[in-house]
Amino acid sequence: LDELAETGYAGLTFEGVARRAGVHKTTVYRRWSTLERLVLAAMLEQARLGVPVADTGSLRTDLLALGLGSAATTATAQSETVLRTVVGVGSRDAAIARASREFWDARLAMDAAIVERAIGRDEVDAGTCPREVIEAVLAPIYFRRLVTSEPVDDDYVKRLVDRVCDGVTGAGRRTPRARR
Amino acid sequence: LDELAETGYAGLTFEGVARRAGVHKTTVYRRWSTLERLVLAAMLEQARLGVPVADTGSLRTDLLALGLGSAATTATAQSETVLRTVVGVGSRDAAIARASREFWDARLAMDAAIVERAIGRDEVDAGTCPREVIEAVLAPIYFRRLVTSEPVDDDYVKRLVDRVCDGVTGAGRRTPRARR
């Protein structure tokens, strides 16, 4: 990831990665047969280590920890390069596409525990899809990082999490219209 | 865009685009000096034509039209290739990055009219940021298209819009906890 951040994807080589890691290049490409696979593996490893799943006893603070954690792990130039590389490669490489789908499937299932616990505490309706609530928090952060390039500051993440929470708990500030 | 969808970005050439358009290749690269700029210009044009801003008199149905429209215009293999190319190029090319930011700035400002009208009708609190509500609808659709590769069907978009609306209008189905 350090090498990728320094050279960019266009300048990335097995030789450069091997040199930085202090191993022979055959050691690298024996395990990851293409540069794309190597980059994906590095990204998955980084994401796995980056954002632990909070369990604070409240949906709002658990989702806030998730949002702030994701904002932080996607904030570096290194992380942006890796994300853009994987999205850019996209469906052109079937192995990368499958590995990426498997990664997100696992990641969303892991994070979904936050919403499942909130359903268990009766904070959220049992009919709510836990993964879609997690997506509602993660997607706007990735959208800003990858698509619009707008800043993601803590206040933005807090407003985002508040809106998502109000949407699934019905705890909006306004008087529900049906009750007026 | 037809040429890009057929060849993929790796196979795209000025010659191929010019041949398909029935012009000389100098006509193409005189106007767009790199392939990346050509692809971005094509994407912006497609997006500009793709999703008109609805004005149905209700936040929910306006946002649903926006969501279904965006789901439809991002559904094709052609559109996916273009999106992945622009995101993949990302911040490596300053001109592309600037053009993409300008496009999204204009696009979000245009769509924000939906929320501004809802504030005018007192459907939504005046303190709500219109662009962030638009992002809350668009981001999960782009997240599925680009990042998780999960399907985006009409039912998904409807649930998404319902959650966003409930979050900003306070019209969630559950009794707000503060009132119990």
Side-chain angles (χ1 to χ4, degrees):
Chain A
L1 292 172
D2 288 339
E3 180 74 9
L4 176 63
E6 197 174 297
T7 64
Y9 189 63
L12 192 70
T13 61
F14 278 117
E15 286 80 357
V17 172
R19 198 180 314 119
R20 190 179 285 260
V23 298
H24 197 269
K25 71 171 181 176
T26 52
T27 307
V28 183
Y29 66 63
R30 213 168 35 213
R31 175 128 180 221
W32 299 281
S33 56
T34 69
L35 281 170
E36 290 170 349
R37 281 179 193 138
L38 176 61
V39 167
L40 181 71
M43 185 204 74
L44 300 190
E45 190 60 21
Q46 186 185 47
R48 214 185 312 273
L49 302 173
V51 187
V53 181
D55 185 6
T56 63
S58 144
L59 178 67
R60 201 170 299 259
T61 45
D62 282 1
L63 289 181
L64 188 60
L66 176 73
L68 293 174
S70 297
T73 55
T74 57
T76 63
Q78 186 201 62
S79 155
E80 184 181 332
T81 302
V82 174
L83 275 171
R84 287 189 187 278
T85 300
V86 172
V87 171
V89 169
S91 46
R92 286 207 311 274
D93 181 314
I96 294 270
R98 191 173 55 246
S100 176
R101 270 200 308 278
E102 283 170 6
F103 164 71
W104 279 104
D105 202 48
R107 164 87 192 265
L108 292 174
M110 197 175 72
D111 293 337
I114 289 173
V115 185
E116 285 154 9
R117 286 192 302 260
I119 292 172
R121 290 189 301 263
D122 196 32
E123 268 191 279
V124 175
D125 200 277
T128 307
C129 173
R131 285 169 63 131
E132 291 183 5
V133 177
I134 298 302
E135 286 179 69
V137 172
L138 296 181
I141 295 167
Y142 281 79
F143 188 69
R144 288 197 161 196
R145 294 287 189 223
L146 293 174
V147 179
T148 67
S149 303
E150 286 188 278
V152 179
D153 59 31
D154 288 0
D155 283 343
Y156 171 70
V157 175
K158 196 177 171 311
R159 288 193 301 277
L160 161 63
V161 167
D162 280 344
R163 272 195 309 274
V164 172
C165 269
D166 292 349
V168 293
T169 64
R173 295 153 315 205
R174 295 172 63 88
T175 309
R177 297 180 77 74
R179 292 160 191 251
R180 279 192 181 162
Chain B
L1 293 171
D2 288 338
E3 181 73 9
L4 177 63
E6 197 175 297
T7 65
Y9 190 63
L12 192 70
T13 62
F14 279 116
E15 288 79 359
V17 172
R19 199 180 312 119
R20 191 181 284 257
V23 298
H24 197 270
K25 72 171 181 175
T26 52
T27 307
V28 182
Y29 67 62
R30 214 165 36 210
R31 174 128 181 219
W32 297 283
S33 56
T34 68
L35 282 171
E36 290 170 349
R37 283 180 190 135
L38 175 62
V39 166
L40 181 71
M43 185 204 75
L44 299 190
E45 189 62 21
Q46 184 186 49
R48 214 186 310 275
L49 302 173
V51 186
V53 181
D55 185 6
T56 63
S58 145
L59 178 67
R60 201 170 299 258
T61 46
D62 282 2
L63 289 180
L64 188 60
L66 176 72
L68 293 174
S70 298
T73 56
T74 57
T76 63
Q78 187 202 61
S79 155
E80 185 182 331
T81 302
V82 174
L83 276 170
R84 287 189 188 277
T85 299
V86 172
V87 171
V89 170
S91 47
R92 285 207 310 274
D93 181 315
I96 294 270
R98 192 173 52 246
S100 176
R101 271 200 307 278
E102 283 169 5
F103 165 72
W104 278 104
D105 203 47
R107 164 86 193 266
L108 291 174
M110 196 175 73
D111 292 338
I114 289 173
V115 185
E116 287 154 8
R117 285 193 302 260
I119 292 173
R121 288 189 301 263
D122 196 33
E123 267 190 280
V124 176
D125 200 278
T128 307
C129 173
R131 287 168 61 129
E132 291 183 5
V133 177
I134 299 302
E135 286 179 69
V137 172
L138 296 181
I141 294 168
Y142 281 80
F143 187 69
R144 287 196 163 198
R145 294 287 189 224
L146 292 174
V147 179
T148 67
S149 303
E150 285 189 278
V152 179
D153 60 30
D154 288 0
D155 283 344
Y156 172 70
V157 175
K158 197 177 169 311
R159 287 193 302 275
L160 161 63
V161 167
D162 280 345
R163 271 195 310 271
V164 172
C165 269
D166 291 350
V168 293
T169 63
R173 294 153 314 202
R174 294 173 64 88
T175 309
R177 297 181 76 73
R179 292 156 192 255
R180 280 192 180 161

